[in-house]
């Protein structure tokens, strides 16, 4: 992990032994506080949306349409749109190409997303970028505290089973759903793949360039090849997230996450 105040250091994410580079917000980005206030009062709400293989122009069109119907000042709209496109341009510089997978949403945290590594289609560049504009920051462990890839995937499998159990009980037994949530929270508080459960929190508003994992090796006993293990908070205030990775060959289209066959080629959690 690298934490820096110089955006030129973001290129270090390409180094073999660097899983992520964190660039906290600067004093010139005071508009992020206005974004936070707008999200918390629900003046700015973005439906969870995912574009596959999209051009910069199509991302600009979609994202601008969403932002411009919000109840925030035009100058703040322009700042947010400009910053999201900066993330797209940064992804292009770091990973190459002119096609992108672009995800954006405003949501309150849930227990849906625990520790994970984001993935890309087979053979795709593994570097992506994201910014959590407001709300609690993304959490990550000290990579040296991870016991093994095998232990990590065992944790993922157990957590996925708990989530399926929760979904299956949701319509029949509210009490048991609560108990499953508690099991998930206990699992995430002391994940068995970590020697030390202490975590570091990315400062809200930070830009993060980070490594993903090729989906073709996801779930194997191999090491993570530098992929960033992280999790979103399970409680707290609403967050605005924009996430960009290199695109694939799928036709660009607007989809809600996990509601199209295309999402089967990428594991992209919160």
């Amino acid at each position: 992990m690298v934490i820096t105040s110089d955006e030129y250091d973001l290129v270090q994410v390409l180094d073999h032994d660097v899983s992520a580079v964190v660039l906290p917000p600067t004093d010139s980005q005071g508009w992020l506080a206005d974004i936070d206030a707008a999200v918390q009062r629900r003046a700015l709400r973005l439906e969870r949306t995912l574009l596959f293989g999209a051009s910069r122009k199509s991302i600009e069109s979609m994202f601008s349409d969403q932002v411009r119907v919000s109840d925030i000042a035009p100058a703040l709209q322009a700042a947010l749109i400009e910053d999201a496109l900066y993330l797209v341009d940064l992804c292009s510089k770091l990973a190459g190409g002119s096609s992108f997978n672009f995800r954006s949403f405003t949501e309150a945290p849930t227990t849906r997303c625990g520790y994970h590594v984001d993935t890309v289609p087979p053979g795709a560049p593994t570097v992506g970028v994201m910014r959590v504009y407001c709300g609690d920051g993304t959490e990550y462990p000290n990579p040296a505290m991870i016991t093994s890839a095998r232990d990590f995937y065992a944790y993922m499998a157990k957590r996925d089973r708990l989530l399926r159990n929760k979904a299956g009980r949701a319509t029949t037994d509210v009490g048991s759903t609560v108990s499953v949530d508690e099991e998930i929270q206990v699992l995430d508080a002391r994940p068995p793949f970590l020697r030390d459960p202490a975590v570091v929190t990315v400062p809200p508003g930070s830009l993060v360039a980070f490594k993903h994992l090729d989906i073709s090796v996801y779930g194997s006993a191999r090491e993570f090849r530098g992929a960033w293990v992280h999790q979103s908070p399970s409680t707290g205030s609403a967050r605005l997230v924009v996430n960009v990775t290199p695109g694939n060959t799928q036709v660009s289209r607007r989809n809600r996450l996990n509601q199209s066959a295309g999402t089967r080629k990428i594991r992209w959690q919160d």
Side-chain angles (χ1 to χ4, degrees):
M1 291 293 303
V2 174
I3 301 175
T4 182
S5 59
D6 187 342
E7 72 174 301
Y8 290 103
D9 288 338
L10 292 168
V11 73
Q12 292 186 41
V13 74
L14 301 177
D15 293 350
H16 176 74
D17 58 349
V18 175
S19 59
V21 180
V22 177
L23 178 67
T26 64
D27 293 341
S28 65
Q29 293 174 300
W31 56 273
L32 290 171
D34 296 327
I35 290 291
D36 189 4
V39 170
Q40 304 317 320
R41 71 172 188 269
R42 298 177 64 82
L44 175 60
R45 289 181 290 174
L46 301 181
E47 180 183 8
R48 179 177 281 263
T49 302
L50 177 60
L51 295 179
F52 275 110
S55 67
R56 185 186 192 277
K57 183 176 181 179
S58 62
I59 291 170
E60 180 178 14
S61 176
M62 181 280 296
F63 192 71
S64 297
D65 286 348
Q66 283 197 328
V67 172
R68 286 174 178 151
V69 298
S70 63
D71 187 23
I72 61 176
L76 190 56
Q77 294 178 9
L80 178 56
I81 293 167
E82 179 183 2
D83 192 73
L85 293 175
Y86 166 67
L87 297 184
V88 173
D89 293 337
L90 178 61
C91 183
S92 179
K93 290 177 182 178
L94 292 174
S98 57
S99 173
F100 310 92
N101 298 327
F102 181 92
R103 181 175 54 130
S104 57
F105 62 87
T106 52
E107 291 178 7
T110 68
T111 57
R112 182 181 64 182
C113 179
Y115 283 108
H116 63 281
V117 290
D118 289 339
T119 64
V120 294
T126 56
V127 173
V129 297
M130 75 170 181
R131 194 190 298 275
V132 177
Y133 289 82
C134 62
D136 294 333
T138 303
E139 300 170 347
Y140 63 93
N142 179 342
M145 293 297 103
I146 298 174
T147 56
S148 69
R150 188 182 301 277
D151 291 344
F152 172 74
Y153 289 126
Y155 154 85
M156 287 287 296
K158 181 176 181 179
R159 200 179 193 283
D160 285 346
R161 286 195 298 273
L162 288 172
L163 286 175
R164 288 195 297 271
N165 289 342
K166 176 182 175 181
R169 300 177 190 180
T171 59
T172 58
D173 189 343
V174 175
S176 64
T177 300
V178 172
S179 68
V180 173
D181 262 338
E182 292 173 346
E183 287 185 72
I184 293 172
Q185 290 168 359
V186 169
L187 180 65
D188 289 344
R190 297 197 65 86
F193 68 92
L194 290 179
R195 297 185 181 92
D196 184 342
V199 298
V200 181
T201 300
V202 175
S206 297
L207 190 160
V208 183
F210 64 104
K211 284 196 181 79
H212 296 52
L213 188 70
D214 189 307
I215 191 66
S216 65
V217 299
Y218 183 88
S220 75
R222 302 179 189 179
E223 294 304 315
F224 299 115
R225 297 184 178 179
W228 189 39
V229 176
H230 60 285
Q231 69 172 352
S232 300
S234 59
T235 61
S237 57
R239 309 163 82 226
L240 165 58
V241 178
V242 170
N243 196 321
V244 189
T245 59
N248 53 32
T249 57
Q250 292 176 275
V251 176
S252 301
R253 58 188 178 184
R254 180 172 174 174
N255 287 315
R256 290 177 62 84
L257 188 64
N258 295 332
Q259 288 190 346
S260 75
T263 61
R264 296 172 189 164
K265 295 187 178 181
I266 186 170
R267 184 183 182 95
W268 210 355
Q269 296 199 27
D270 204 33

